Structures are given as structure tokens and as C-alpha cells.
Amino acid sequence: MRTTIEIPFATAARGSRTRTGRLDPVLLADSATIAVEVVASDRLVPAASVHIPRGGVQTVWSLDGDLVTPIEMNRHARGVEGFRRVSAGNSLADVLQGDGWELVDWRREVPDAVLSAACFDLRGDFDMDFTVVRRKALKVVEGGDEAEAIERLDRISSRLLVVDDELWTRCPAPRLVVDDPTRGPYAAVSSDVHELSVMDPDRAGRQFFSLDRSDDALAYCHAAAGVAGVEIGPAPDIAIYDPAAVAFDDLLETARMVAAPTLAELGRDLAWFSVGAMEEFATARAAAARLRSAPAREDALILFEAFSRIAADPGDPGELFDPPAPHLMRRLQRFGLRATAFETDAVPDLAVGAPAP
């Protein structure tokens, strides 16, 4: 069974608030009506519950092999306790009630509804922070890709569903996240994954671990912190009810998230490195290209091990060039640590010191 709902929807265009002003890139906010599946709540099976920062305990559910979660607003509202769910019968007004036309929470919950392909570069990385503007606020509007908008609406229609008259969404697996090893891992639910892995400019130093690897996440933090006696942890409270439903290749997703921004930053300092490190950079760049076109765990390991060898490079003996920033070198070392100390069982032939195949 399907029903129709009205949702906020934005398309990329160029516009000006005056008739003679410069045309700037904007996300043109409007509404769209789509058909979505209606699902009985007795078909949902709990998959996992996690305790997230400032969000209490949240549960994701399994539905015929997919993970689903209710859409919840008010993530950015100050002085508001708890998240507010969206009524399917009044979805447009419910979203705008807590979000306005800035669509910050709505972008987090349903990225395709706000972010068009124009917001991303050729590698798929977030490229420009467009301003969300209502059409009536602009005097001149140009552009807009109708075919791309229709494609996004089709994806949204397949992703959203209605459960007990509430708007739900299919979603990626929740996970453990490590930003600063000295602070230990924290849990991120599905609606935060896109923000953490695509939108956040600080994502280049981030590591993902699946929920069933809390011991590995803590061990990695202790090993990567490099500070004796530092108090790390404990890991967040997690309850896994369906391990297969929340499983994902955490190393592969980490590599796909960090490859492009790390290579971009590293490329600015290549002159400081030796020829050997430059060859490793070429190896890493080739692995990153394959991760974009045909993601494979083997290339994630190749990427991280190349980063590790670059971090061990002695650099410019003539001191003609400034060395890379210390945080970048630490990051490269940590990627190597992850690959060699915590992932070698999966692909033993790629482990440091393993015999050549």
C-alpha cells in the first residue's frame, strides 16, 4: 500500500534578490508531493539501540533486510528536550515548524531532499554551501536541472515510508566514531552518518567502527592516543539485537570518507617528501580512484598502508621546504595503525611483513 505526502524539496539554481544584481548559486526551496510505502509497525524488528551524545537512547529497526528509523526534528533547537517526529499527514508543516525553510534538520534526515548534485564535486565530495532560499524571495531565477530533481524525488520516494502515520526513512547502519583517540569512541545513529561522512569539513581524521567492534575501537584509541596513562572510554552503551542487520565494512567506509580530503591536504606538501613517498602518494591516489568507482576492502588497506609509509618518510634533507602540519602526519600514522594492527585478519596477504602472493 502507498500514500502521498508533501515534503520540503530544494533544487540548485542561480538567483538574485534584485533584478539587476549578480546571480549567485542558491538552493531553491519549494515543496513536492511524492508517493511512499505504508508499512505496518508489526513488520519492524529492533536491530540495535545506542546511546548517542545529547540524544539519549535511539533504536534502529530492521524491515525486510533494510534498516529504518523515524525521522526526528529539533536536533538543533536550543532549550528543546527530545526530538520531535514528523506526522505523515501533515509532513510539510511538521518539518517547517521546527526547521523553517533553512532545512538544517531536514537535510540531516533526508539529504536528497535538500542537496542536489550541484552541491558536490566530481569526486562526490561536498563542494559548496548553498544558501536555501524561497522562490518568492528572489527577483530573478535561472537554471535548475529538472531531470536531476526527478531522479532525487524517485530516490526519496523509495527511501521514505509511513509507519503508524509517522514519517520514517531507510538508513545506513549506526556506528562507533573516533575523532580524537584521547576522547574515545562515541556512537552515531543513522541520521548523523551523512553529516559526519560527507558534510563535516573535519571528516578527514575520522574513523568508523561497526557496533560489534567496541573493543577494537577502544584498543585503537589507546594505541593511537600516544599518551601513557590517558583515561579513554568507556565505549557508549550499545545493545545489538540483529548483528547481520547492522553489519557493514567499517574500514571501507572510513577509507572512502577520508581519502579525498587527506590526499588533497597531502598534495600541498609533496615537495617536502622523498621520491619514495611520492611513489606511495601515487599508489594511494590510484587506490582512492578505485574506491570511488568500484569500492573494495583491498583498496582501503592499500590506501592506509601507503599513508603509513608516507608518514615514515624522513622528508627533505636540504630543508628547502616546510614540512607538513604535525596533525596531518599523525593522521597518516593512525591510518596505518588501523590497517596493520586492527584489520590484518581480513586480508592477511596485505599485512605489513606478509609474504608476497
Side-chain angles (χ1 to χ4, degrees), residues 120-149:
F120 300 89
D121 63 20
L122 296 176
R123 300 173 303 195
D125 292 323
F126 184 66
D127 188 42
M128 182 177 292
D129 192 7
F130 286 70
T131 301
V132 180
V133 181
R134 296 294 315 274
R135 181 182 291 272
K136 65 182 182 181
L138 300 174
K139 298 296 185 182
V140 181
V141 177
E142 291 184 1
D145 189 335
E146 183 177 351
E148 189 266 347

Side-chain angles (χ1 to χ4, degrees), residues 124-175:
D125 292 323
F126 184 66
D127 188 42
M128 182 177 292
D129 192 7
F130 286 70
T131 301
V132 180
V133 181
R134 296 294 315 274
R135 181 182 291 272
K136 65 182 182 181
L138 300 174
K139 298 296 185 182
V140 181
V141 177
E142 291 184 1
D145 189 335
E146 183 177 351
E148 189 266 347
I150 292 173
E151 182 180 333
R152 282 195 291 133
L153 285 171
D154 286 343
R155 290 201 300 266
I156 297 168
S157 181
S158 299
R159 177 177 175 178
L160 298 185
L161 58 154
V162 173
V163 179
D164 292 343
D165 196 40
E166 292 179 344
L167 207 54
W168 286 50
T169 179
R170 290 175 172 83
C171 59
R175 59 204 61 200

